[in-house]
């Protein structure tokens, strides 16, 4: 088979139980159907793991995957995907990271890594220009992610890029992630996949690559990128200047900001103090660019204070500022930056940590947990010291509340009991990110139907109700955020599109740069040599989305699980930009299922399965319905 443009051509298979290392060449027909990244990884996970497998068992797979545009001239293409069965949700789990690790793996000669088994002792993987070696990691087990990055680069190559877990992942915290790029703190943080890595006793994967990726039509690709680069930069100027938190004040104004565990509707002064504009005026020291990026939304901060010591490295993004800050009523920017650093070092998802601490603060307020439970920490709203001390307990997996919160909000609520289920804010076990479905109805539908649990990135639909249009897909104007009109179509098409972003491995922020799906299809064709049109491109995304849904259906997911927390469905915020709105989820779901070609239980119909060429994958549905 001739090598397709955009692919390194090999995927590593590592069995940690016996140390076997194999190289696998994927057939082009499979690549055309599932692309790479999230799509190809979902296909592998579906085929090679059965239902009801324990996420911490050796049989579970941990899959790192790049895509065909990774390490090419395509702008914002420096990303990789991690896929596994989630120990946090028990269903399909995936997480996405930027930085430089993905392109480095590709240049080292591999499109991805499939990890199975469990090592008898801590190990790390060293990959250098096609050479692969498992090395002892006893001496670095227990180090935080910043320390691990330095130690491994000292042992391998100073120019290597390290993806690793911290103490939280080692100790199987279900809200732990996988981190790369050292102090820059790029993270595949969601779904607890750091704990899967920890269960396999795999501390890190270090890669160094100096190769190049063959491009089918480099001249056309370079010409297009050159013509569009300046407009991308200009359109996304705000992201460069202020990062994702540059929209903090507008988000608060629209009623989209989570405040006091999603209770309040307005927090204007607090949002101002946590904004990207304030950060730029105070602690910002530089801007970080992921590999291939021309926008530079990443923040670098530097400050030293008697209270928080020296903080230097990755600055908090919007989600972190919202969840560790506004959701806990903490408006001290330096405190949140310190909290962000602690999460990065321990290897924790800042979204889930912010949700867990806010949940604990409310449980403390209601008397469901006491000072004895907290180890003497008074978990009152707005107390930055309480936040920092609790992060330490979660990261170290200390017995008691620290351990329990590391299990995620759903499990913590089940253990604490009482009224805590009323304010345990999650979908399918994954804590809500920092965008409120009461502000954007499409977001509520997206959270409810997202394949990994509550996730704004699986559709990114709210941007099409705020500032971005999708004329290629039939939405030439900004959509009304509190209307039911065409929300089913918008969310489904946006989910299909984001599946392609996650499979190509291109950053979704390129949409803020004014790039439309049709342009991305052109780039893909020039990279690979394919002749895909927009219809096939979107149908491929739909196939991938439905495959992930079938994985979850096989695990028992149906309409009963496609819901939102009671607080989001029933509690009006009372003030702010979304004071009186509540998402009409029942009606939205019924319309969505019909548009998707799913039945009223949320299961893909046979006609849709055939249309998407997923008949083989859906065989279990027929077996399950037999008497």
């Amino acid at each position: 088979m001739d090598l397709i443009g955009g692919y390194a051509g090999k995927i590593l298979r590592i069995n940690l139980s016996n140390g076997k290392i194999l190289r696998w060449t994927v057939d082009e027909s499979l690549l055309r159907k599932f692309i790479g990244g999230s799509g190809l990884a979902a296909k592998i996970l579906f085929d090679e793991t059965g239902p009801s497998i324990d996420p911490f068992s050796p049989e579970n797979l941990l899959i790192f995957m790049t895509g065909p545009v990774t390490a090419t001239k395509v702008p914002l293409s420096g990303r990789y995907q991690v896929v596994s069965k989630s120990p946090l949700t028990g269903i399909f789990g995936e997480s996405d990271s930027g930085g430089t690790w993905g392109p480095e793996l590709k240049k080292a000669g591999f499109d991805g890594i499939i990890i199975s088994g469990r090592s008898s002792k801590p190990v790390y993987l060293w990959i250098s220009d096609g050479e692969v070696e498992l090395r002892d990691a006893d001496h670095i087990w227990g180090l935080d992610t910043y320390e691990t990055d330095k130690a491994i680069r000292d042992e391998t190559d100073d120019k290597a890029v390290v993806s690793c877990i911290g103490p939280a992942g080692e100790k199987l915290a279900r809200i732990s992630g996988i981190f790369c790029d050292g102090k820059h703190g790029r993270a595949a943080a969601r779904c607890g996949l750091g704990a899967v890595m920890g269960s396999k006793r795999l501390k890190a994967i270090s890669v160094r690559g100096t190769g190049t990726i063959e491009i089918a039509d480099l001249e056309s690709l370079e010409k297009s990128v050159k013509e569009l680069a300046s407009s991308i930069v200009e359109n996304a100027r705000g992201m460069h200047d202020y990062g994702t938190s540059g929209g903090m004040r507008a988000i608060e104004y629209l009623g989209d900001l989570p405040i006091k565990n999603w209770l309040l509707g307005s927090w204007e002064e607090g949002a101002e103090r946590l904004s990207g504009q304030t950060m730029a005026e105070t602690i910002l020291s530089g801007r970080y660019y992921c590999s291939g990026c021309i926008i530079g939304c990443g923040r670098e901060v530097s400050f030293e204070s008697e209270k928080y010591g020296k903080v230097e490295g990755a600055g908090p993004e919007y989600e972190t500022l919202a969840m560790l800050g506004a959701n806990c009523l903490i408006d001290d920017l330096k405190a949140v930056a310190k909290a962000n650093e602690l999460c990065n070092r321990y290897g924790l998802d800042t979204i889930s940590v912010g949700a867990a601490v806010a949940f604990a603060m409310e449980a403390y307020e209601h008397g469901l947990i006491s000072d004895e439970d907290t180890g003497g920490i008074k978990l009152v709203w707005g107390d930055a010291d309480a936040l920092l001390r609790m992060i330490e307990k979660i990261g170290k997996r200390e017995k008691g509340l620290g351990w329990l919160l590391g299990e995620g909000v759903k499990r913590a609520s089940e253990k604490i009991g009482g009224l805590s289920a009323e304010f345990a804010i999650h979908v399918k076990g994954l804590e809500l990110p920092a965008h409120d479905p009461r502000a954007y109805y499409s977001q509520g539908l997206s959270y409810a139907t997202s394949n990994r649990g509550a996730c704004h990135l699986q559709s990114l639909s709210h941007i099409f109700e705020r500032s971005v249009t999708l004329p290629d897909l039939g939405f030439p104007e900004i959509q009304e955020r509190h209307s039911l009109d065409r929300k089913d179509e918008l969310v489904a098409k946006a989910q299909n599109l984001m599946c392609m972003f996650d499979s190509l491995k291109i950053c979704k922020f390129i949409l803020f740069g004014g790039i439309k799906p049709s342009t991305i299809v052109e780039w893909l064709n020039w990279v690979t040599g394919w002749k895909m049109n927009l219809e096939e491109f979107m149908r491929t995304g739909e196939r991938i989305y439905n495959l992930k849904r079938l994985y979850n259906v096989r695990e028992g997911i149906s309409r009963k699980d496609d819901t939102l927390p009671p607080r989001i469905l029933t509690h009006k915020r009372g003030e702010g930009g979304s004071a009186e709105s509540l998402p009409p989820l029942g009606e939205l779901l019924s319309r969505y299922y019909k548009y998707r070609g799913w039945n009223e239980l949320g299961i893909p119909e046979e006609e849709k399965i055939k249309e998407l060429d997923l008949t083989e994958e859906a065989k279990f549905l027929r077996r399950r319905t037999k008497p």
Side-chain angles (χ1 to χ4, degrees), residues 358-370:
F359 164 81
M361 285 177 169
E362 188 160 353
Y364 185 84
E365 181 180 47
H366 286 293
L368 297 176
I369 56 177
S370 65

Side-chain angles (χ1 to χ4, degrees), residues 104 126-128 135 149-162 206-210:
E104 199 75 14
W126 167 228
I127 303 169
S128 178
R135 292 188 175 185
D149 178 83
K150 183 180 185 306
I152 291 182
R153 287 191 297 108
D154 285 346
E155 291 182 10
T156 56
D157 187 321
D158 186 55
K159 294 182 179 179
V161 186
V162 179
S206 180
V207 294
R208 176 75 176 115
T210 60

Side-chain angles (χ1 to χ4, degrees), residues 448-462:
T449 58
S450 163
N451 285 309
R452 69 174 185 176
C455 175
H456 63 301
L457 293 174
Q458 294 230 321
S459 75
L460 207 62
S461 61
H462 68 287

Side-chain angles (χ1 to χ4, degrees), residues 365-439:
E365 181 180 47
H366 286 293
L368 297 176
I369 56 177
S370 65
D371 289 345
E372 183 179 354
D373 297 316
T374 67
I377 301 172
K378 296 192 180 301
L379 280 176
V380 297
W381 298 108
D383 190 326
D385 288 338
L387 168 69
L388 296 174
R389 290 174 66 189
M390 191 52 63
I391 291 173
E392 293 271 8
K393 287 182 175 292
I394 296 170
K396 293 176 181 177
R397 293 289 269 163
E398 292 185 4
K399 289 183 179 179
L401 188 61
W403 180 278
L404 184 59
L405 295 182
E407 295 286 280
V409 164
K410 181 176 184 290
R411 285 178 174 80
S413 174
E414 290 169 349
K415 179 69 173 178
I416 290 170
L419 292 173
S420 68
E422 294 288 345
F423 49 86
I425 311 299
H426 67 88
V427 173
K428 300 182 178 76
L430 185 64
E431 293 80 9
L432 266 65
H435 292 283
D436 197 318
R438 292 166 293 189

Side-chain angles (χ1 to χ4, degrees), residues 13 21 52-53 68 72 117 131 142 190 193 218 261 271 293 298 319 339 348 365 402 466 472 474 478 512 516 532 600:
R13 287 184 175 272
I21 299 172
S52 303
I53 189 173
T72 70
E131 298 298 318
R190 306 238 69 195
L193 303 190
L218 182 59
N261 202 25
C293 182
E319 298 290 333
L348 290 165
E365 181 180 47
R466 178 181 167 188
D472 288 355
I478 304 299
F512 295 115
K516 303 302 180 188
M532 188 178 288
E600 272 293 308

